[in-house]
Amino acid sequence: MKHTKSDISVAFDDHGQGEPVLLCLPGWCVDRSAFEDLVQVCSHARRTLSMDWRGHGQSAPAYGDFGETALIDDALSVIQESGARQVVPVALSHAGWVAIELRRRLGGRIPAIVLVDWLVLDPPLPFLDALADLQDSGRWQATRDQLFAMWLYRVETPGVIRLVQKVMGSYGFDMWARAGRTIAAAYRREGWPLKALAEIHPPVPVLHLYAQPANSDFLEEQKRFSEANRWFSVQKLNAKSHFPMLEIPEYMADAIESFLAQI
């Protein structure tokens, strides 16, 4: 484990060799252990970094409030500390907003983006309601527990169960409310992820690997978008949870390598 030398000490792991470098970005209320199996496999083929956001995992505590801008700063500090020239973010869920901003700021140094299990389409009203409820001190815990139940439905993988119950379950109201507030603000500002990505010029190649939701409409709408926007591709994974990198890391590593070989 390494730490950045920036104002906020950010913990990250650094394995393997070769560029472009993968940078694994956890979501809110998740630490880099979510990527430990995927990092182990990916690092056989190329250099792979994984990090903890401030206030998460083994990074320094965050004093006072923070949001997406701080997460972007954390990611930039890891990139700088690592000395990587080209970086491909592998972003879990709403860490995708950070990946998009890294491309905007660093341009060609971010030659591609891999998104993992993200609501890349126009968000439905129940999702937006859940973000609001996470910010309510009287409703946040019931809302979080509903999310946990959805993410663990029919899941038997011990690593996924531990991540959700032990790691994500260790964060309290302040962090979950911060997550809800920051994510809601991103959707208000950007519209939805594929819309934001479509406005980046030149376009950046993007691969979306996901397991949830299982309904076919979500996949078909992404395929239609891909037909009109060849820089975007999507794969529905044979996994059950919101964290497929803990279920099928070898398959995901192969998918990432195939994607990078094409670009």
Side-chain angles (χ1 to χ4, degrees):
M1 181 183 66
K2 300 180 179 180
H3 284 83
T4 63
K5 300 180 179 66
S6 55
D7 292 342
I8 292 288
S9 178
V10 176
F12 68 99
D13 290 329
D14 186 348
H15 299 284
Q17 295 181 336
E19 294 217 4
V21 177
L22 302 180
L23 173 60
C24 297
L25 304 175
W28 283 95
C29 301
V30 182
D31 65 19
R32 69 189 192 280
S33 67
F35 285 103
E36 58 189 4
D37 293 345
L38 183 63
V39 168
Q40 182 177 359
V41 181
C42 287
S43 61
H44 294 310
R46 67 180 63 250
R47 190 179 180 193
T48 306
L49 310 173
S50 61
M51 61 176 289
D52 288 332
W53 304 118
R54 64 184 65 193
H56 293 71
Q58 294 177 299
S59 288
Y63 299 101
D65 197 15
F66 65 95
E68 185 179 307
T69 298
L71 302 191
I72 295 164
D73 289 343
D74 291 348
L76 289 170
S77 70
V78 169
I79 293 172
Q80 180 177 358
E81 189 74 23
S82 72
R85 297 184 300 276
Q86 286 195 312
V87 175
V88 174
V90 180
L92 173 61
S93 192
H94 302 290
W97 294 120
V98 176
I100 289 172
E101 187 60 26
L102 290 177
R103 170 67 182 199
R104 288 169 174 164
R105 295 193 186 192
L106 300 181
R109 289 187 64 193
I110 308 295
I113 294 174
V114 178
L115 305 173
V116 180
D117 239 80
W118 195 17
L119 183 57
V120 295
L121 303 175
D122 202 7
L125 183 58
F127 171 76
L128 298 177
D129 288 342
L131 294 179
D133 287 345
L134 286 174
Q135 301 171 61
D136 187 299
S137 60
R139 296 197 294 264
W140 80 275
Q141 196 160 9
T143 303
R144 184 205 62 179
D145 291 347
Q146 288 174 355
L147 292 172
F148 284 5
M150 179 178 65
W151 294 338
L152 292 178
Y153 181 65
R154 294 184 176 178
V155 173
E156 299 177 354
T157 306
V160 175
I161 297 171
R162 183 200 67 83
L163 182 74
V164 174
Q165 294 181 345
K166 301 297 185 182
V167 176
M168 303 189 78
S170 70
Y171 294 93
F173 170 66
D174 286 349
M175 194 66 80
W176 282 98
R178 184 175 294 119
R181 183 168 60 251
T182 303
I183 295 166
Y187 280 101
R188 285 195 302 270
R189 182 184 69 245
E190 305 281 2
W192 38 291
L194 291 185
K195 176 179 178 293
L197 285 161
E199 293 172 354
I200 295 177
H201 299 289
V204 56
V206 176
L207 170 64
H208 184 206
L209 300 171
Y210 81 98
Q212 289 189 1
N215 71 76
S216 59
D217 290 347
F218 185 61
L219 177 59
E220 291 307 314
E221 191 167 348
Q222 290 180 83
K223 287 182 175 179
R224 287 193 293 271
F225 183 91
S226 177
E227 290 172 0
N229 301 272
R230 293 298 183 180
W231 49 266
F232 175 72
S233 57
V234 57
Q235 288 190 38
K236 175 71 169 66
L237 301 173
N238 185 22
K240 295 179 180 179
S241 80
H242 184 45
F243 308 96
M245 58 278 195
L246 288 170
E247 295 184 74
I248 50 171
E250 293 85 0
Y251 182 90
M252 287 187 63
D254 287 344
I256 292 170
E257 284 303 311
S258 296
F259 168 62
L260 294 181
Q262 293 172 12
I263 64 170

